[in-house]
Amino acid sequence: MCGFEQIGVRAARELQNGESVYLDPSWAAQLRAVLPEGVTVREASAPEAPVDVAIVAATTVSVLGELGGTTFTGAANKVVALLEQHQGDDGSQHVLKESEPGALKAKLVITNLAVFDVTGDGLVMREVAQGVSALDVQRKSEANLLAADDLRVIVND
């Protein structure tokens, strides 16, 4: 499984040089520390600012990418959601079939188990953590997940 640090490294790979970004306060220090070499971003300090990319903490995500538990209220071309736990220690589900209508929607979701693209067909698993199978991820999710044909292991380089 990926830990906090590995999730941050994987999320930082989504940032391109010169982009304006919002970094969720709970992840900001970690993300700043692991920006890829040569990548400099312009940080928005307020959660309501329009940005190129918003990297936000969430507690839940629906099959359609709707987020629960996030404080970001701005506009972003791309929202990357970070869930430190794919499933709660108590077995509670964090990847859900449904969420609140009108919730902020992510384009990419990174959990401690996998990386998902949000598509019109649902969550597509693109990468899994070392030692984790697609079946493991599905078993820990309420939502039905799709696996990419080229599913691979998360590489944090």
Side-chain angles (χ1 to χ4, degrees), residues 45-69:
S45 58
E48 65 276 353
V51 293
D52 295 317
V53 180
I55 297 183
V56 301
T59 54
T60 61
V61 62
S62 78
V63 72
L64 298 177
E66 299 157 325
L67 304 176

Side-chain angles (χ1 to χ4, degrees), residues 2-156:
C2 285
F4 185 80
E5 294 80 18
Q6 290 91 359
I7 293 171
V9 169
R10 178 59 186 83
R13 288 186 14 219
E14 294 299 313
L15 301 175
Q16 302 297 315
N17 195 37
E19 287 181 316
S20 62
V21 300
Y22 170 77
L23 302 177
D24 189 280
S26 61
W27 287 91
Q30 171 65 23
L31 291 164
R32 282 186 209 109
V34 296
L35 280 174
E37 188 174 329
V39 174
T40 303
V41 296
R42 294 174 287 120
E43 283 188 56
S45 58
E48 65 276 353
V51 293
D52 295 317
V53 180
I55 297 183
V56 301
T59 54
T60 61
V61 62
S62 78
V63 72
L64 298 177
E66 299 157 325
L67 304 176
T70 186
T71 59
F72 181 74
T73 57
N77 294 331
K78 180 179 183 179
V79 175
V80 177
L82 308 182
L83 279 76
E84 194 171 348
Q85 289 189 313
H86 189 97
Q87 182 181 46
D89 292 336
D90 61 358
S92 60
Q93 301 296 318
H94 295 178
V95 180
L96 308 173
K97 292 178 185 174
E98 297 178 8
S99 187
E100 295 179 30
L104 179 67
K105 288 184 80 170
K107 288 190 179 181
L108 185 76
V109 177
I110 304 172
T111 77
N112 62 317
L113 298 181
V115 177
F116 303 92
D117 283 335
V118 179
T119 72
D121 294 327
L123 296 176
V124 177
M125 196 178 333
R126 296 283 178 204
E127 302 172 44
V128 292
Q130 183 74 39
V132 175
S133 72
L135 185 57
D136 294 332
V137 177
Q138 180 60 69
R139 286 181 178 150
K140 294 180 184 227
S141 306
E142 177 187 274
N144 289 325
L145 306 173
L146 304 169
D149 291 338
D150 62 345
L151 182 65
R152 60 189 182 275
V153 173
I154 298 171
V155 177
N156 287 322

